[in-house]
Amino acid sequence: MNILFHILFNYSIVSLVFGVNESDIWVIALFSVILDFDHIPYILKNFKSVVRYLHFGSESRMSSHELIGLGLFSLLFSVALLVIQDKRIVQIALMCMVLHYVVDFIIGKTRPLYPYAKTEVFIHFYTSRRQRFVLEGLMTIIFGGIFFLSQVQR
């Protein structure tokens, strides 16, 4: 999914679970997209192809973007919950990262056991790139509307 969708979707879920303060928005934004930083080397290396097709798949992910990463980050967050006084911020950050993994697994192609296995898993919500663009676009607009309406009510 696209970066904006991850932020808007996570904001919506976090606001339902925890409520959102103005200072939480930066935590939500950062931990909603931090996993996607692993795409940067791939995009730089394959820039023309990425721009031409407006797409890059599971091959652009490192193991931190799969189940191994989820396990390691969960361990780090468990330690952070023991050490950091403001547990709410840690819980929000953890929720954003877990939701990122979940959305990527449900919507996109993933290699959950990478680097041990390169087998891709895909649930087939769409059958073409065009359908994927439409799905991502509609979902981004919907959650953008939810975000906008939540800001108007403040």
Side-chain angles (χ1 to χ4, degrees):
M1 290 302 276
N2 64 66
I3 290 172
L4 186 57
F5 172 79
H6 280 298
I7 293 169
L8 295 170
F9 176 75
N10 288 354
Y11 175 88
S12 300
I13 301 301
V14 167
S15 67
L16 288 172
V17 174
F18 296 104
V20 175
N21 302 324
E22 199 168 310
S23 62
D24 298 336
I25 292 174
W26 291 107
V27 174
I28 294 168
L30 175 63
F31 286 95
S32 294
V33 300
I34 199 166
L35 289 175
D36 284 337
F37 289 175
D38 70 343
H39 295 309
I40 294 171
Y42 179 87
I43 292 169
L44 293 174
K45 183 178 177 186
N46 301 289
F47 187 75
K48 287 182 182 179
S49 172
V50 171
V51 169
R52 181 175 184 188
Y53 297 108
L54 296 174
H55 175 72
F56 49 92
S58 62
E59 69 278 358
S60 67
R61 295 180 182 162
M62 298 159 111
S63 56
S64 62
H65 207 131
E66 303 298 351
L67 289 177
I68 290 172
L70 177 60
L72 291 173
F73 285 121
S74 295
L75 184 63
L76 287 172
F77 280 107
S78 297
V79 171
L81 281 169
L82 295 172
V83 175
I84 296 175
Q85 294 292 322
D86 189 358
K87 298 194 183 323
R88 182 176 174 279
I89 292 296
V90 177
Q91 292 168 333
I92 288 172
L94 175 60
M95 177 174 268
C96 288
M97 287 190 75
V98 169
L99 288 172
H100 186 116
Y101 282 110
V102 169
V103 167
D104 280 1
F105 184 80
I106 291 173
I107 302 299
K109 293 179 181 178
T110 186
R111 299 177 297 177
L113 300 177
Y114 181 79
Y116 302 108
K118 294 183 179 181
T119 305
E120 277 190 336
V121 176
F122 181 48
I123 298 180
H124 297 281
F125 272 106
Y126 51 88
T127 55
S128 69
R129 287 194 180 142
R130 183 179 187 153
Q131 288 177 344
R132 181 182 175 135
F133 281 141
V134 170
L135 176 68
E136 280 194 41
L138 285 174
M139 291 178 70
T140 302
I141 290 168
I142 289 167
F143 283 98
I146 292 169
F147 176 80
F148 176 76
L149 290 174
S150 72
Q151 297 303 307
V152 169
Q153 292 179 357
R154 285 186 171 199

